[in-house]
Amino acid sequence: MKKKTTSNTTETKTRKRTKKVGVGKVITGVAVGSVVGATVGLLLAPASGEETISNIKSRAKGIQKKAVKAVGNIEDKARGLSDKAHNLAKDVSKNVSEVKEDVSERVGEYLPNTNATSTSTSRKKNSSS
């Protein structure tokens, strides 16, 4: 039985090494293929090197302008949302104050000349009677 365990362990180690070597070969193949593909693409491109560089620069500038415009739009929208949130907070605060005043007035109508503490105490006394 020991021999089977030893051979199983050896097989497992061999499989792991094979997997590691296989992954390394794949990564190397992808890297080499990318370099070769890029080189062939540049050599077979219909434009000269100067034209290609010029095209890349102009596209980069276009992308930069679009990015700056997008950032400006985002800033404008953020300011607008901030203003809306501020106004909404003011409205909520105003509404809460109005409700508080309304509740105080209604409580005062039912229990004149009392405060909140005596109100809860008198209710407890009334309910226990």
Side-chain angles (χ1 to χ4, degrees):
M1 289 193 143
K2 288 184 181 179
K3 290 182 182 179
K4 288 183 181 179
T5 306
T6 305
S7 66
N8 286 340
T9 305
T10 306
E11 288 176 18
T12 304
K13 287 180 183 179
T14 305
R15 287 182 192 159
K16 286 182 181 178
R17 280 190 216 126
T18 305
K19 285 182 183 179
K20 287 181 184 178
V21 172
V23 172
K25 286 182 178 179
V26 169
I27 291 172
T28 303
V30 169
V32 170
S34 298
V35 170
V36 169
T39 304
V40 169
L42 287 174
L43 292 174
L44 297 178
S48 68
E50 290 177 7
E51 288 179 58
T52 303
I53 291 171
S54 176
N55 288 339
I56 291 171
K57 284 182 181 179
S58 66
R59 287 182 185 173
K61 286 180 183 178
I63 291 170
Q64 183 182 14
K65 287 180 182 178
K66 287 181 182 179
V68 168
K69 186 177 179 181
V71 168
N73 290 341
I74 291 170
E75 287 175 346
D76 291 343
K77 287 181 182 181
R79 281 190 202 101
L81 289 174
S82 174
D83 292 343
K84 284 182 182 180
H86 182 70
N87 291 336
L88 183 62
K90 279 184 179 178
D91 290 345
V92 168
S93 177
K94 181 181 175 184
N95 290 341
V96 167
S97 296
E98 290 173 359
V99 169
K100 179 182 172 186
E101 289 176 19
D102 186 45
V103 169
S104 294
E105 288 174 6
R106 289 182 184 196
V107 168
E109 290 174 5
Y110 293 106
L111 303 169
N113 299 323
T114 61
N115 60 26
T117 310
S118 62
T119 302
S120 62
T121 307
S122 63
R123 285 185 182 169
K124 288 180 184 175
K125 288 180 183 177
N126 290 338
S127 62
S128 61
S129 298

